Tab-separated table of all heavy atoms in Angstrom:
chain	number	residue	atom	x	y	z
A	119	ASP	N	-35.777	-6.291	-26.951
A	119	ASP	CA	-36.308	-4.969	-26.599
A	119	ASP	C	-35.256	-4.058	-25.974
A	119	ASP	O	-35.452	-2.848	-25.884
A	119	ASP	CB	-37.492	-5.110	-25.635
A	119	ASP	CG	-38.677	-5.816	-26.296
A	119	ASP	OD1	-38.692	-5.881	-27.547
A	119	ASP	OD2	-39.563	-6.304	-25.564
A	120	ASP	N	-34.152	-4.635	-25.522
A	120	ASP	CA	-33.082	-3.823	-24.931
A	120	ASP	C	-32.135	-3.281	-25.999
A	120	ASP	O	-31.256	-2.481	-25.704
A	120	ASP	CB	-32.288	-4.653	-23.916
A	120	ASP	CG	-33.192	-5.176	-22.809
A	120	ASP	OD1	-33.901	-4.360	-22.207
A	120	ASP	OD2	-33.202	-6.400	-22.581
A	121	LEU	N	-32.306	-3.760	-27.236
A	121	LEU	CA	-31.439	-3.310	-28.320
A	121	LEU	C	-32.206	-2.319	-29.207
A	121	LEU	O	-33.420	-2.227	-29.130
A	121	LEU	CB	-30.980	-4.520	-29.140
A	121	LEU	CG	-30.300	-5.631	-28.325
A	121	LEU	CD1	-29.992	-6.819	-29.213
A	121	LEU	CD2	-29.036	-5.101	-27.658
A	122	ARG	N	-31.483	-1.614	-30.062
A	122	ARG	CA	-32.122	-0.603	-30.917
A	122	ARG	C	-32.711	-1.242	-32.183
A	122	ARG	O	-32.429	-0.813	-33.308
A	122	ARG	CB	-31.106	0.496	-31.249
A	122	ARG	CG	-30.598	1.229	-30.002
A	122	ARG	CD	-29.605	2.328	-30.289
A	122	ARG	NE	-30.210	3.438	-31.011
A	122	ARG	CZ	-30.105	3.628	-32.316
A	122	ARG	NH1	-29.415	2.790	-33.058
A	122	ARG	NH2	-30.686	4.653	-32.884
A	123	ILE	N	-33.539	-2.279	-31.965
A	123	ILE	CA	-34.127	-2.996	-33.101
A	123	ILE	C	-35.365	-2.266	-33.627
A	123	ILE	O	-35.561	-2.159	-34.829
A	123	ILE	CB	-34.455	-4.459	-32.695
A	123	ILE	CG1	-33.142	-5.219	-32.440
A	123	ILE	CG2	-35.283	-5.153	-33.770
A	123	ILE	CD1	-33.310	-6.645	-31.962
A	124	ARG	N	-36.147	-1.706	-32.740
A	124	ARG	CA	-37.342	-0.937	-33.132
A	124	ARG	C	-36.924	0.231	-34.035
A	124	ARG	O	-37.519	0.479	-35.080
A	124	ARG	CB	-38.053	-0.420	-31.868
A	124	ARG	CG	-39.474	0.068	-32.087
A	124	ARG	CD	-40.156	0.367	-30.753
A	124	ARG	NE	-39.259	1.087	-29.806
A	124	ARG	CZ	-39.043	2.410	-29.832
A	124	ARG	NH1	-39.632	3.156	-30.717
A	124	ARG	NH2	-38.231	2.970	-28.951
A	125	GLN	N	-35.830	0.913	-33.648
A	125	GLN	CA	-35.327	2.045	-34.432
A	125	GLN	C	-34.860	1.579	-35.824
A	125	GLN	O	-35.014	2.301	-36.809
A	125	GLN	CB	-34.156	2.731	-33.713
A	125	GLN	CG	-34.560	3.499	-32.456
A	125	GLN	CD	-34.525	2.653	-31.194
A	125	GLN	OE1	-34.773	1.434	-31.233
A	125	GLN	NE2	-34.235	3.274	-30.068
A	126	LEU	N	-34.313	0.344	-35.891
A	126	LEU	CA	-33.888	-0.200	-37.180
A	126	LEU	C	-35.105	-0.407	-38.083
A	126	LEU	O	-35.097	-0.025	-39.262
A	126	LEU	CB	-33.152	-1.532	-36.961
A	126	LEU	CG	-32.768	-2.313	-38.222
A	126	LEU	CD1	-31.775	-1.531	-39.087
A	126	LEU	CD2	-32.172	-3.679	-37.859
A	127	MET	N	-36.179	-0.977	-37.526
A	127	MET	CA	-37.392	-1.233	-38.298
A	127	MET	C	-37.985	0.073	-38.818
A	127	MET	O	-38.467	0.136	-39.962
A	127	MET	CB	-38.425	-1.989	-37.438
A	127	MET	CG	-37.952	-3.353	-36.923
A	127	MET	SD	-37.079	-4.383	-38.141
A	127	MET	CE	-38.446	-5.002	-39.116
A	128	GLN	N	-37.906	1.117	-37.999
A	128	GLN	CA	-38.408	2.428	-38.432
A	128	GLN	C	-37.617	2.962	-39.631
A	128	GLN	O	-38.184	3.554	-40.539
A	128	GLN	CB	-38.333	3.438	-37.268
A	128	GLN	CG	-39.475	3.267	-36.272
A	128	GLN	CD	-39.214	3.970	-34.942
A	128	GLN	OE1	-38.176	4.607	-34.751
A	128	GLN	NE2	-40.147	3.846	-34.018
A	129	ARG	N	-36.311	2.721	-39.626
A	129	ARG	CA	-35.483	3.202	-40.737
A	129	ARG	C	-35.811	2.468	-42.036
A	129	ARG	O	-35.536	2.970	-43.124
A	129	ARG	CB	-33.991	3.020	-40.415
A	129	ARG	CG	-33.491	3.956	-39.335
A	129	ARG	CD	-32.021	3.709	-39.032
A	129	ARG	NE	-31.142	4.204	-40.086
A	129	ARG	CZ	-29.821	4.065	-40.069
A	129	ARG	NH1	-29.235	3.436	-39.051
A	129	ARG	NH2	-29.078	4.548	-41.046
A	130	LEU	N	-36.334	1.254	-41.895
A	130	LEU	CA	-36.629	0.444	-43.086
A	130	LEU	C	-38.025	0.740	-43.638
A	130	LEU	O	-38.363	0.333	-44.752
A	130	LEU	CB	-36.534	-1.047	-42.748
A	130	LEU	CG	-35.190	-1.538	-42.179
A	130	LEU	CD1	-35.256	-3.027	-41.869
A	130	LEU	CD2	-34.051	-1.249	-43.158
A	131	ALA	N	-38.840	1.484	-42.896
A	131	ALA	CA	-40.265	1.656	-43.217
A	131	ALA	C	-40.528	2.342	-44.560
A	131	ALA	O	-41.440	1.939	-45.288
A	131	ALA	CB	-40.958	2.417	-42.088
A	132	ASP	N	-39.719	3.349	-44.944
A	132	ASP	CA	-40.051	4.111	-46.157
A	132	ASP	C	-39.496	3.512	-47.453
A	132	ASP	O	-39.642	4.100	-48.523
A	132	ASP	CB	-39.632	5.577	-46.019
A	132	ASP	CG	-38.113	5.747	-46.040
A	132	ASP	OD1	-37.394	4.719	-46.089
A	132	ASP	OD2	-37.640	6.892	-45.999
A	133	GLY	N	-38.835	2.367	-47.383
A	133	GLY	CA	-38.395	1.682	-48.602
A	133	GLY	C	-37.098	2.189	-49.216
A	133	GLY	O	-36.665	1.681	-50.254
A	134	THR	N	-36.442	3.171	-48.613
A	134	THR	CA	-35.156	3.664	-49.142
A	134	THR	C	-34.087	2.579	-49.060
A	134	THR	O	-33.273	2.403	-49.963
A	134	THR	CB	-34.670	4.886	-48.324
A	134	THR	OG1	-35.736	5.806	-48.195
A	134	THR	CG2	-33.459	5.555	-48.972
A	135	VAL	N	-34.098	1.868	-47.954
A	135	VAL	CA	-33.093	0.831	-47.732
A	135	VAL	C	-33.465	-0.435	-48.486
A	135	VAL	O	-34.575	-0.956	-48.329
A	135	VAL	CB	-32.954	0.526	-46.223
A	135	VAL	CG1	-31.935	-0.578	-45.989
A	135	VAL	CG2	-32.586	1.781	-45.452
A	136	THR	N	-32.502	-0.924	-49.303
A	136	THR	CA	-32.777	-2.143	-50.076
A	136	THR	C	-31.907	-3.318	-49.623
A	136	THR	O	-32.147	-4.447	-50.006
A	136	THR	CB	-32.533	-1.900	-51.579
A	136	THR	OG1	-31.199	-1.409	-51.745
A	136	THR	CG2	-33.518	-0.891	-52.146
A	137	GLU	N	-30.859	-3.024	-48.822
A	137	GLU	CA	-30.039	-4.123	-48.335
A	137	GLU	C	-29.628	-3.895	-46.886
A	137	GLU	O	-29.228	-2.785	-46.504
A	137	GLU	CB	-28.768	-4.283	-49.181
A	137	GLU	CG	-27.958	-5.516	-48.744
A	137	GLU	CD	-26.674	-5.733	-49.536
A	137	GLU	OE1	-26.382	-4.935	-50.434
A	137	GLU	OE2	-25.973	-6.726	-49.232
A	138	VAL	N	-29.728	-4.946	-46.088
A	138	VAL	CA	-29.240	-4.903	-44.709
A	138	VAL	C	-28.155	-5.962	-44.566
A	138	VAL	O	-28.358	-7.124	-44.914
A	138	VAL	CB	-30.366	-5.160	-43.682
A	138	VAL	CG1	-29.789	-5.319	-42.276
A	138	VAL	CG2	-31.380	-4.026	-43.696
A	139	ILE	N	-26.963	-5.537	-44.114
A	139	ILE	CA	-25.866	-6.479	-43.878
A	139	ILE	C	-25.750	-6.667	-42.366
A	139	ILE	O	-25.505	-5.700	-41.636
A	139	ILE	CB	-24.536	-5.924	-44.432
A	139	ILE	CG1	-24.661	-5.672	-45.942
A	139	ILE	CG2	-23.376	-6.868	-44.119
A	139	ILE	CD1	-23.523	-4.848	-46.522
A	140	ILE	N	-25.960	-7.884	-41.906
A	140	ILE	CA	-25.875	-8.139	-40.465
A	140	ILE	C	-24.426	-8.459	-40.112
A	140	ILE	O	-23.860	-9.438	-40.600
A	140	ILE	CB	-26.815	-9.284	-40.034
A	140	ILE	CG1	-28.255	-8.942	-40.445
A	140	ILE	CG2	-26.724	-9.519	-38.528
A	140	ILE	CD1	-29.248	-10.073	-40.212
A	141	ALA	N	-23.808	-7.612	-39.284
A	141	ALA	CA	-22.386	-7.770	-38.949
A	141	ALA	C	-22.196	-7.855	-37.435
A	141	ALA	O	-21.363	-7.169	-36.855
A	141	ALA	CB	-21.581	-6.618	-39.543
A	142	THR	N	-22.991	-8.733	-36.808
A	142	THR	CA	-22.827	-8.940	-35.362
A	142	THR	C	-21.584	-9.794	-35.119
A	142	THR	O	-21.047	-10.387	-36.053
A	142	THR	CB	-24.077	-9.635	-34.779
A	142	THR	OG1	-24.354	-10.788	-35.574
A	142	THR	CG2	-25.272	-8.702	-34.815
A	143	ASP	N	-21.125	-9.849	-33.866
A	143	ASP	CA	-19.920	-10.623	-33.547
A	143	ASP	C	-20.117	-12.114	-33.832
A	143	ASP	O	-21.204	-12.641	-33.630
A	143	ASP	CB	-19.563	-10.453	-32.055
A	143	ASP	CG	-18.988	-9.080	-31.774
A	143	ASP	OD1	-18.574	-8.397	-32.727
A	143	ASP	OD2	-18.957	-8.685	-30.595
A	144	PRO	N	-19.043	-12.812	-34.297
A	144	PRO	CA	-19.159	-14.251	-34.549
A	144	PRO	C	-19.070	-15.071	-33.273
A	144	PRO	O	-18.260	-15.979	-33.159
A	144	PRO	CB	-17.981	-14.532	-35.490
A	144	PRO	CG	-16.981	-13.486	-35.166
A	144	PRO	CD	-17.729	-12.286	-34.660
A	145	ASN	N	-19.889	-14.731	-32.269
A	145	ASN	CA	-19.952	-15.539	-31.043
A	145	ASN	C	-21.408	-15.881	-30.744
A	145	ASN	O	-22.307	-15.531	-31.525
A	145	ASN	CB	-19.299	-14.790	-29.865
A	145	ASN	CG	-19.939	-13.430	-29.638
A	145	ASN	OD1	-21.100	-13.210	-29.971
A	145	ASN	ND2	-19.175	-12.523	-29.066
A	146	LEU	N	-21.652	-16.563	-29.643
A	146	LEU	CA	-22.986	-17.064	-29.321
A	146	LEU	C	-24.036	-15.961	-29.361
A	146	LEU	O	-25.076	-16.090	-30.018
A	146	LEU	CB	-22.938	-17.693	-27.917
A	146	LEU	CG	-23.984	-18.766	-27.646
A	146	LEU	CD1	-23.708	-19.984	-28.496
A	146	LEU	CD2	-23.996	-19.135	-26.168
Side-chain angles (χ1 to χ4, degrees):
Chain A
D119 295 343
D120 301 307
L121 305 175
R122 299 181 67 260
I123 293 177
R124 195 172 43 82
Q125 290 90 328
L126 174 63
M127 300 316 283
Q128 281 164 1
R129 290 179 74 182
L130 303 179
D132 70 356
T134 311
V135 179
T136 55
E137 185 180 0
V138 171
I139 301 167
I140 303 173
T142 51
D143 287 343
N145 56 26
L146 206 68

